[in-house]
Amino acid sequence: EACCGTHVLNTGDIKDFCIVGVRTAGSGTRSLRAVTGDYAQASHIAGQEMNAQVERLVAQVEHFINSQSTAEQVESLDAKLQEVKTEN
């Protein structure tokens, strides 16, 4: 049940829809934050970019696990992980 937002006559007017946040509002109750239209499209693109970053980092971590990593390589990977955290 959508509430606390702008009402539309036709859901087609919304165009795109993207959930950008979930919060526990109480026992068994969730509160969702969503955006529509251009904001939703931008959120989808940002999510795809973040997913691509995570996939690249996973590949790097797997490479480090399967090879003998130097301390410098591990520090470089840690720096990249911190960068992704702060960007998102």
Side-chain angles (χ1 to χ4, degrees):
E1 175 181 321
C3 61
C4 301
T6 304
H7 295 267
V8 295
L9 297 176
N10 185 328
T11 56
D13 294 340
I14 292 172
K15 297 183 183 169
D16 203 358
F17 176 86
C18 183
I19 296 172
V20 294
V22 179
R23 187 182 71 177
T24 301
S27 178
T29 304
R30 302 275 188 262
S31 174
L32 302 177
R33 181 168 183 264
V35 292
T36 61
D38 293 339
Y39 292 112
Q41 289 176 349
S43 294
H44 284 299
I45 291 168
Q48 290 169 346
E49 290 172 357
M50 185 188 314
N51 190 48
Q53 282 182 316
V54 169
E55 287 178 356
R56 285 191 297 273
L57 288 170
V58 166
Q60 289 177 340
V61 167
E62 288 174 347
H63 172 75
F64 287 143
I65 289 171
N66 295 325
S67 66
Q68 292 185 349
S69 304
T70 65
E72 186 177 296
Q73 289 171 318
V74 172
E75 287 176 15
S76 172
L77 179 60
D78 185 53
K80 289 177 186 177
L81 288 169
Q82 295 305 321
E83 184 178 316
V84 169
K85 285 181 184 179
T86 56
E87 286 177 2
N88 303 300

